[in-house]
DNA sequence: ACCACGATGAACT
DNA sequence: GTTCATCGTGGTC
């Protein structure tokens, strides 16, 4: 990963409209530097808004947990789901308005052996194709809640690998795993053809 | 004080 | 294919 085209994404990227950030995060990479460096390309996201979004944690206003969603963009929002799995979100929008993008699926790129070990799997199949799975594979847990993902000195940040995503590469669907607020298409993922192209790229690890 | 909510793997059948 | 186990948050009563 020693290419000039690869750069850490700054805070401005996240300060825009949440839906836009959710689309723009497709093709970007999550990097964690824990026991070893792991990198995964984001291939599915969901946008969550604030007081006007019944599916959002921030729907009912500021609480100790949701205050991060109202705060500075580019901050990791991690929470426990079903008592077992951590889900990784990035806070979006201007400070004061709530918003976050849930990362739902990754294409493993670097540190695959570490990811397999964390997931207790020997195949790359289904290694990080779900929000709980990818957090486990990347070593993300509640200790990462509140971390700044715009700082490459941290052990968790987002990198632009230079992968170009066109609008026609992006598909939209209804958000999943929720009962309210399913009306709008706020889940975004890459077309199969695009995934195969990304899979063919040779990444240096 | 109580209840609804939510992702995944394992262990069944 | 179905069922089960797992727990912290926050709303409602």
């Amino acid at each position: 990963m020693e290419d000039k085209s690869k750069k850490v994404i700054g805070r401005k990227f996240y300060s825009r409209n949440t839906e836009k950030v959710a689309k723009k995060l497709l093709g970007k990479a999550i990097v964690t530097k824990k026991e070893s460096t792991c990198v995964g390309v984001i291939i599915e996201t969901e946008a969550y808004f604030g007081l006007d979004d019944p599916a959002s944690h921030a729907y009912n206003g500021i609480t100790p947990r949701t205050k991060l969603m109202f705060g500075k963009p580019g901050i990791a929002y991690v929470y426990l789901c079903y008592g077992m799995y951590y889900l990784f979100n990035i806070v979006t929008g201007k400070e004061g308005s709530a918003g976050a993008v849930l990362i739902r699926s990754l294409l493993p790129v670097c540190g695959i052996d570490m990811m397999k070990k964390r997931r207790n799997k020997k195949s790359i199949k289904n290694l990080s194709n779900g929000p709980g799975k990818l957090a486990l594979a990347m070593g993300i847990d509640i200790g990462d809640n509140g971390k700044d993902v715009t700082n490459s000195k941290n052990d968790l940040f987002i990198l632009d690998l230079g992968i170009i995503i066109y609008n026609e590469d992006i598909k939209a669907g209804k958000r999943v795993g929720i009962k309210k607020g399913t009306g709008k298409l706020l889940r975004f993922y890459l077309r199969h053809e695009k995934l195969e192209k990304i899979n063919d790229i040779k990444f240096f690890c």
Side-chain angles (χ1 to χ4, degrees):
Chain A
M1 313 300 288
E2 297 298 331
D3 190 298
K4 278 172 239 139
S5 65
K6 298 168 177 55
K7 55 182 188 299
V8 177
I9 299 171
R11 196 166 320 285
K12 261 199 239 169
F13 177 94
Y14 305 102
S15 70
R16 299 173 291 174
N17 171 275
T18 302
E19 187 173 340
K20 183 158 199 161
V21 178
K23 288 185 199 169
K24 290 289 180 186
L25 275 172
L26 295 173
K28 304 298 190 291
I30 303 178
V31 180
T32 58
K33 295 185 170 179
K34 313 251 177 189
E35 297 98 318
S36 63
T37 300
C38 291
V39 181
V41 174
I42 298 168
I43 57 173
E44 183 180 344
T45 60
E46 275 177 6
Y48 285 89
F49 298 100
L51 302 169
D52 51 351
D53 181 359
S56 171
H57 284 172
Y59 181 55
N60 289 295
I62 298 178
T63 66
R65 179 175 64 158
T66 63
K67 67 173 190 290
L68 275 180
M69 284 188 71
F70 289 85
K72 201 161 60 167
I75 298 297
Y77 171 49
V78 181
Y79 62 89
L80 183 69
C81 181
Y82 285 109
M84 306 182 88
Y85 296 98
Y86 293 103
L87 305 206
F88 173 56
N89 302 252
I90 303 174
V91 176
T92 58
K94 299 257 185 304
E95 193 155 359
S97 77
V101 173
L102 171 66
I103 310 300
R104 289 196 57 86
S105 191
L106 290 182
L107 213 60
V109 169
C110 300
I112 292 173
D113 285 344
M114 188 73 228
M115 293 166 78
K116 286 178 185 167
K117 191 179 161 197
R118 289 194 183 111
R119 294 262 297 116
N120 196 21
K121 302 205 76 153
K122 40 192 186 310
S123 159
I124 198 165
K125 193 166 172 277
N126 298 337
L127 196 57
S128 55
N129 62 334
K133 299 179 196 180
L134 75 86
L136 221 198
M138 298 291 284
I140 296 170
D141 61 28
I142 198 66
D144 295 304
N145 194 32
K147 276 186 186 165
D148 188 347
V149 301
T150 68
N151 185 350
S152 62
K153 291 187 179 63
N154 281 342
D155 58 5
L156 168 66
F157 57 92
I158 308 299
L159 201 60
D160 187 341
L161 300 180
I163 297 171
I164 310 285
I165 304 292
Y166 300 98
N167 276 336
E168 55 265 35
D169 296 326
I170 300 175
K171 298 182 85 169
K174 289 184 177 182
R175 293 181 294 184
V176 294
I178 50 171
K179 296 208 167 58
K180 295 169 194 165
T182 54
K184 287 175 77 180
L185 302 181
L186 291 172
R187 171 174 162 257
F188 305 104
Y189 51 102
L190 292 177
R191 292 175 61 209
H192 236 30
E193 294 85 339
K194 187 68 178 183
L195 287 182
E196 281 165 15
K197 281 187 197 167
I198 295 174
N199 246 328
D200 289 340
I201 300 173
K202 295 276 175 280
F203 293 100
F204 292 94
C205 296

